[in-house]
């Protein structure tokens, strides 16, 4: 299932721009946001820190609860 929270938090940035800022390959970021793969623990933490949120909030709560 697509991670709508990541898409909303990314805002107007492209997937590629966001991946570069986080320091991961574009394809990795795109697959995570699209819901085709789940990040390893260390990468999930890194992405959550990038978005100034928690891993639980970003990956384990309902996507429709984005504020």
């Amino acid at each position: 299932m697509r991670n709508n929270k990541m898409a909303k938090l990314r805002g107007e940035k492209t997937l590629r721009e966001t991946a570069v800022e986080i320091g991961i390959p574009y394809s990795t970021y795109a697959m995570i946001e699209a819901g085709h793969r789940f990040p390893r623990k260390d990468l999930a933490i890194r992405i959550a820190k990038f978005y100034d949120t928690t891993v639980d909030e970003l990956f384990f709560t309902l996507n429709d609860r984005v504020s």
Side-chain angles (χ1 to χ4, degrees):
M1 177 176 8
R2 179 172 171 82
N3 190 320
N4 293 324
K5 288 180 186 178
M6 287 177 65
K8 182 169 182 162
L9 290 169
R10 180 170 48 83
E12 296 297 317
K13 291 181 187 176
T14 66
L15 292 168
R16 191 170 306 280
E17 290 170 333
T18 304
V20 167
E21 287 184 33
I22 295 171
I24 62 175
Y26 158 77
S27 60
T28 300
Y29 184 85
M31 289 183 74
I32 293 168
E33 187 175 303
H36 296 296
R37 79 178 268 196
F38 191 82
R40 297 179 321 269
K41 183 177 179 180
D42 61 321
L43 182 53
I45 292 168
R46 201 154 125 199
I47 294 170
K49 283 183 181 180
F50 176 80
Y51 286 124
D52 194 30
T53 189
T54 66
V55 171
D56 285 344
E57 188 65 31
L58 191 58
F59 295 105
F60 296 109
T61 57
L62 297 175
N63 280 327
D64 60 354
R65 289 186 45 209
V66 177
S67 56

